[in-house]
């Protein structure tokens, strides 16, 4: 039973992350109840085509099997399974139906205002859960269009200036790699943008102490155009086939960019 409870806790954890602790789920629940108690034949057809698949998908995502999968994967990745359930479609359909039934223009305006305020509250709740760069309440223009750490911005810009839009291979620490592809798809990475703990490249680049000779040995069998390392972790050695291009200070960490000669 303890194992089953552990799996169910994993499912509920993903549910909380995907629906802002159920906050995003409430409008869907209200719309579903409205459609279920309605006697309209069109609503009954919609229920069969939309609510039934939603219910099946929701049961699967709340099952111990999904919880077991969630335990071995990143939370952000697992929340994407909830994208397959059309919560928004059901809510929008129900809202349009209610708005269509309202005859008084003033009442429609009031309902629309309430809906807009509701959307703002959802965005506010989302911003509290996962703060966005340069965004707050009231809304202001984002300072960083891509919502990425500044070090990713700066390192990628230096590489982009050298490449003039051409694709290149760049090996970099995980803290940069997980966001670099989002900013510039022309920067390719040997071990991808997510963790590959089993690869020699990942372990060498992300080690607490980095010997450049070990990096150079790996680089001999790879076609890397750029190597980005944390300067504070470098303990010695040389990169004979690479030249230092730039150093990017980012708080307590300085990233050194090496370019293939």
């Amino acid at each position: 039973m303890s194992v089953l409870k552990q799996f169910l806790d994993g499912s509920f954890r993903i549910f909380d992350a995907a629906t802002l602790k159920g906050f995003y789920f409430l409008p869907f629940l209200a719309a579903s109840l409205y459609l279920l108690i309605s006697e309209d034949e069109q609503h009954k057809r919609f229920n069969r085509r939309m609510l039934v698949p939603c219910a099946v998908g929701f049961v699967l995502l709340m099952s111990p099997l999904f919880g077991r999968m969630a335990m071995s994967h990143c939370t952000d990745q697992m929340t994407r399974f909830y994208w397959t359930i059309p919560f928004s479609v059901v809510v929008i359909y129900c809202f349009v139906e209610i708005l269509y039934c309202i005859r008084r223009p003033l009442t429609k305006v009031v309902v629309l205002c309430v809906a807009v305020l509701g959307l703002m509250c959802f965005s506010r709740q989302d911003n509290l859960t996962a703060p966005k760069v340069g965004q707050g309440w009231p809304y202001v223009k984002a300072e960083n269009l891509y919502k990425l750490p500044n070090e990713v911005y700066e390192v990628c810009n230096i590489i982009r200036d050298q490449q003039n839009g051409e694709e290149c291979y760049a090996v970099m620490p995980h803290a940069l790699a997980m966001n670099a592809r989002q900013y510039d798809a022309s920067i390719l990475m040997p071990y991808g943008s997510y963790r590959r703990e089993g690869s020699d490249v990942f372990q060498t680049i992300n080690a607490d102490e980095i010997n450049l000779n070990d990096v150079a040995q790996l680089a001999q069998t790879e076609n890397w155009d750029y190597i980005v390392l944390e300067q504070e972790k470098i303990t010695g050695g040389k990169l004979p086939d690479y030249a230092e291009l730039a150093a990017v200070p980012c708080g307590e960490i300085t990233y050194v960019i090496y370019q293939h000669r």
Side-chain angles (χ1 to χ4, degrees):
M1 291 298 294
S2 60
V3 176
L4 181 61
K5 182 180 182 300
Q6 189 177 10
F7 291 163
L8 288 174
D9 288 343
S11 297
F12 281 112
R13 174 173 56 84
I14 301 302
F15 171 80
D16 286 343
T19 63
L20 303 179
K21 296 185 176 180
F23 194 68
Y24 176 70
F25 184 73
L26 292 177
F28 169 76
L29 183 60
S32 299
L33 291 175
Y34 169 79
L35 293 171
L36 288 172
I37 64 176
S38 175
E39 297 295 332
D40 191 293
E41 288 297 325
Q42 182 177 343
H43 291 172
K44 292 180 179 179
R45 289 195 298 269
F46 184 84
N47 292 344
R48 290 193 297 269
R49 296 172 181 173
M50 293 298 296
L51 287 187
V52 172
C54 284
V56 173
F58 186 69
V59 168
L60 290 175
L61 293 180
M62 295 300 293
S63 67
L65 177 61
F66 184 75
R68 184 178 183 278
M69 292 174 55
M71 293 179 63
S72 58
H73 291 80
C74 175
T75 298
D76 290 340
Q77 291 177 326
M78 298 306 292
T79 57
R80 295 172 186 173
F81 280 88
Y82 275 84
W83 296 355
T84 62
I85 303 181
F87 289 148
S88 300
V89 175
V90 175
V91 173
I92 292 173
Y93 174 84
C94 187
F95 176 75
V96 172
E97 282 286 305
I98 293 175
L99 199 64
Y100 178 77
C101 294
I102 298 175
R103 300 302 178 188
R104 295 182 178 180
L106 181 59
T107 307
K108 285 189 177 183
V109 172
V110 172
V111 172
L112 284 172
C113 290
V114 170
V116 171
L117 288 174
L119 288 174
M120 293 174 69
C121 289
F122 282 128
S123 299
R124 172 59 174 169
Q125 183 72 12
D126 182 42
N127 197 28
L128 289 174
T129 305
K132 309 299 187 300
V133 177
Q135 291 185 351
W137 185 277
Y139 294 102
V140 295
K141 183 178 179 181
E143 297 176 359
N144 184 339
L145 179 63
Y146 295 91
K147 305 181 182 65
L148 300 176
N150 287 332
E151 53 265 32
V152 176
Y153 228 2
E154 296 179 19
V155 169
C156 289
N157 281 341
I158 292 173
I159 295 176
R160 290 175 70 177
D161 291 341
Q162 295 293 316
Q163 291 300 118
N164 294 322
E166 296 182 3
E167 287 189 346
C168 65
Y169 275 95
V171 60
M172 56 184 67
H174 178 67
L176 298 177
M178 63 186 299
N179 291 307
R181 289 277 292 169
Q182 180 181 346
Y183 177 57
D184 191 343
S186 68
I187 299 177
L188 310 177
M189 280 162 283
Y191 59 82
S193 57
Y194 292 98
R195 287 186 175 91
R196 298 292 186 271
E197 286 91 341
S199 71
D200 293 335
V201 177
F202 184 93
Q203 293 178 357
T204 302
I205 298 301
N206 294 280
D208 292 334
E209 294 184 355
I210 301 174
N211 189 300
L212 294 181
N213 292 333
D214 296 335
V215 180
Q217 187 175 358
L218 287 172
Q220 288 178 355
T221 59
E222 303 288 344
N223 187 24
W224 301 343
D225 298 300
Y226 298 90
I227 299 175
V228 183
L229 301 173
E230 295 182 28
Q231 189 175 62
E232 292 74 14
K233 292 184 177 182
I234 299 175
T235 59
K238 295 181 179 179
L239 289 174
D241 297 328
Y242 292 81
E244 183 175 327
L245 176 62
V248 181
C250 301
E252 298 180 355
I253 301 175
T254 298
Y255 291 100
V256 184
I257 306 174
Y258 298 93
Q259 185 179 23
H260 195 274
R261 298 179 189 273

